[in-house]
Amino acid sequence: MNKKRERKRLGDLLVEAGLITEEQLAEALREKTPGQKLGDALVQRGYITEQQLIEALEFQLGIPHVSLYRYPIDPKAISLVPKEFARRHLIMPLKIEDDRLLVAMADPMDFFAIDDLRLSTGFQIETAIASKDDILRAINKYYDMDESFDDLLPAPPAEMGDDGRTNEDDSPIVRLVNQILQLAVEQRASDIHIDPQETKVLIRYRIDGLLRTERALPKHMQSMLTARIKILANMDITEHRVPQDGRIKMNIDFHPVDLRVSTLPTVYGEKIVMRVLDLGSALNDIHKLGFNPVNLERFIRLIERPNGIILITGPTGSGKSSTLYAALNHLNSEQVNIITIEDPVEYQIEGVNQIQVNPNVGLTFAQGLRSILRQDPNIIMVGEIRDRETAEVAIRASLTGHLVLSTLHTNDALSTITRLIDMGIEPFLVATSLAGVVAQRLVRRICRDCQEVYEPTKRERDIFARRGLEVSQLVRGRGCPTCNMTGYRGRLAIHELLVMTDEMRRVILNNEPFSRLREFAVQNKMIFLLDDGLLKVKQGLTTLEEVLKVAILH
C-alpha cells in the first residue's frame, strides 16, 4: 500500500469526522517539518487532541486502542524490552500470549521498531495504540519499580568523593534525581517540591496550579538527595542552616530545561523547591496568551505606544512574567534598545539586555533603573515595583519618552491606581504617566479528551444573567487517564484591560471618588476579569468553579 495514500487518508478521515477543516489540513501538510507525521503536526497545532488522533488511527488501521492507566501489565513482558528501546520508540510491552508479545505503541506504523522487537525477542509482535503521554508515564512507572532505591543506604566511602560529590554518573542517587526531573517535565509540572518529614521525604509536583504527591522516599535518602541537587545547582553543600538559591540548566529528553532551585531549612531538614522553566514551551507569542480579541487589539495598541508605563498585575503565579515576555518578544526588533531589570532573570531572550538584581552590592531595582536610563533605552522592563523609590524612577522614565513595562501585586486593574497613590506617588504623576493596566489570573483548562456538555443549574444561569449573558449549555471534564482523572489539562489566562482615558485622568487629578473611575471604565466597554472568565466558560474552555476561584462576583 502506498504510504502517501495512507497519510492522505488519515487527513480525509479527520475532515470527514468534522474534527478539522480542509484549510487546517492543508496548512498542517504545508508547514509540517520533513519527516514529521501529519497526525503529530495536527496535535502540535492544537487542531485535534492526541486522543482524537488515536481514535482516528484505530479506525483507519484497525488496530485496537488501549488505555494504560489501569492496565494489568505483565512484568515478564517488561523484562523482554530494554527501557532505552521502549523510550526511544515509545513502546510499552503489555503481555505475552503463547508466541505473541502484545505492545502498545504511539506510532503503530513504525515497522522498523516492530522488526527490531521481533528479532530481539523472538516473539511475533501484536500492536495496540496508546497516547505518547500514557506510554511515557507507564515506562516511568513500571520500569523503575524494579529499580527500588531502598538499597540506597548511606553510600560507602568509595562512592563519594572528599567533598560529597558522587563520582559515578550511574550511581542510584544520580538516576533518582534525573528520574524526578524527567517525570516533572513529562507531566508538565511547574514546580517540584522535596518535602522532608519526620519519617520520610515526599516528592510533590505542582501541575496546573495544584500540588500532588508523586512518591514518598525513605528518610535515609534525604541527605544524599539534597546533596546531589545542591551540587547540580552550584550551592554550598556544607551549609544547611541558611536558605540558598541556585540554578540548574540541563537537557531532558533533548529538550533544554532551566530549573530555579531554592532551599529552606525546616525542622526535619532542608526543603527544596525547584521551579521548572521549560525553555521549549515558553509562550512567546502574544496571540497565544488567550486574550479576548477585543483585549488583544487594545493590548497590542498599548504596548506599541512610544512612551508611558504599562502595568501587569495579579498574585504570584498568575502568569504575569509570560505576558511581559510575550510583549517584549512582540516589540523586540533591531531598531529598539530593550533593557530589563529582573529578580531573578527567568527566561533569557535573544537581543534583549537583561540585568539581574543584586542587593548585596547595592544593585536594587531603583539603582539599576537609574543606570539603565543612561544607556539610551527605548523600552524598559522592570521585574516588579516593590517600593515607592522604584515606582518613582519608573514613572519618571516613562515621562521622559520611554515605554516602561512592569508588574505590581494588586487584585484588579482599577485598584492599581489607588495602590500607586497609596505608595506615595503624586496623583498628577500617576495620571500623566500611566497608559494602561492588565490584570491577569490563570484558570485550569477543561481536558479536551473527556469534556462533556451539560445543562447549567439555576445558580449558574443566574451568575451569567447578572453579567448580561445567557447560556443554554456548559462544558465540564469527566476525568480520564490523559488528565489524571482531574477533568482539567493545561491552563489559560483570563484578563481585564484598563486603558486610561482623559476622563479617568481628570478623576485622578481632581481627587474625585474612585467609583467614578469604574463608571468611566464601564462606559469604555472594559471587559472585567469576571466577564472574560464567563465568556471563556461559555466557549467551553474552562468551568465556572475555576473562574469564581479567581474573580470576585460583583
Side-chain angles (χ1 to χ4, degrees), residues 31 36 49 57 168 190 217 261 267 370 402 431 446 492 521 539:
E31 292 182 10
Q36 187 185 26
T49 69
L57 281 170
E168 300 165 36
S190 59
L217 300 172
V261 186
V267 190
R370 288 195 179 92
H402 302 95
I446 295 173
L492 78 156
Q539 287 169 352

Side-chain angles (χ1 to χ4, degrees), residues 204-260:
R204 303 198 293 164
Y205 292 158
R206 186 179 292 283
I207 300 172
D208 292 342
L210 296 182
L211 270 171
R212 217 184 55 233
T213 302
E214 185 59 36
R215 63 200 292 182
L217 300 172
K219 186 74 176 170
H220 65 251
M221 293 166 57
Q222 181 179 326
S223 54
M224 296 159 73
L225 187 60
T226 311
R228 173 68 188 154
I229 290 170
K230 283 181 163 180
I231 288 166
L232 285 173
N234 279 330
M235 294 178 182
D236 180 353
I237 63 168
T238 57
E239 181 55 81
H240 306 289
R241 297 159 305 174
V242 293
Q244 296 187 59
D245 286 303
R247 246 195 143 112
I248 302 176
K249 267 197 158 77
M250 60 195 314
N251 275 339
I252 294 179
D253 285 347
F254 314 110
H255 192 74
V257 173
D258 210 346
L259 299 151
R260 266 198 354 236

Side-chain angles (χ1 to χ4, degrees), residues 8 32 38 47 69 72 75 80 113 132 183 215 228 230 291 293 349 353 355 410 417 440 452 454 479 492 510 544 553:
K8 180 174 172 296
K32 74 186 180 72
L38 171 65
Y47 294 154
Y69 188 66
L80 287 173
K132 197 162 137 192
L183 255 175
R215 63 200 292 182
R228 173 68 188 154
K230 283 181 163 180
F291 270 107
I349 308 179
N353 311 290
I355 304 170
T410 56
I417 297 168
Q440 173 169 331
E452 58 178 10
Y454 71 100
L492 78 156
N510 300 340
L544 202 55
L553 272 177

Side-chain angles (χ1 to χ4, degrees), residues 280-425:
S281 70
L283 267 178
N284 285 333
D285 186 351
I286 207 162
H287 298 277
K288 291 187 181 151
L289 292 175
F291 270 107
N292 177 309
V294 181
N295 277 346
L296 179 66
E297 186 202 334
R298 288 179 177 178
F299 185 59
I300 290 179
R301 262 214 317 269
L302 254 188
I303 61 173
E304 286 177 348
R305 292 171 49 117
N307 59 1
I309 184 163
I310 298 165
L311 295 173
I312 299 182
T313 75
T316 318
S318 57
K320 299 190 294 290
S321 303
S322 299
T323 307
L324 270 180
Y325 283 122
L328 287 183
N329 225 20
H330 179 78
L331 298 168
N332 191 3
S333 71
E334 99 186 36
Q335 289 91 19
V336 290
N337 175 19
I338 303 179
I339 304 184
T340 76
I341 177 155
E342 307 168 58
D343 179 22
V345 172
E346 286 192 27
Y347 294 109
Q348 279 139 13
I349 308 179
E350 206 174 321
V352 173
N353 311 290
Q354 294 168 285
I355 304 170
Q356 167 98 33
V357 167
N358 185 352
N360 303 337
V361 294
L363 179 58
T364 58
F365 274 123
Q367 203 46 53
L369 250 175
R370 288 195 179 92
S371 317
I372 286 176
L373 290 174
R374 298 186 206 109
Q375 290 275 325
D376 177 34
N378 301 84
I379 298 163
I380 301 170
M381 191 264 264
V382 185
E384 190 184 332
I385 292 182
R386 293 181 184 165
D387 50 38
R388 176 183 172 173
E389 197 185 1
T390 313
E392 278 188 340
V393 185
I395 281 178
R396 293 233 148 77
S398 71
L399 289 173
T400 52
H402 302 95
L403 179 69
V404 180
L405 301 168
S406 187
T407 68
L408 197 66
H409 287 273
T410 56
N411 288 331
D412 58 10
L414 285 165
S415 60
T416 306
I417 297 168
T418 26
R419 177 70 195 281
L420 286 170
I421 294 172
D422 289 345
M423 273 174 137
I425 308 291

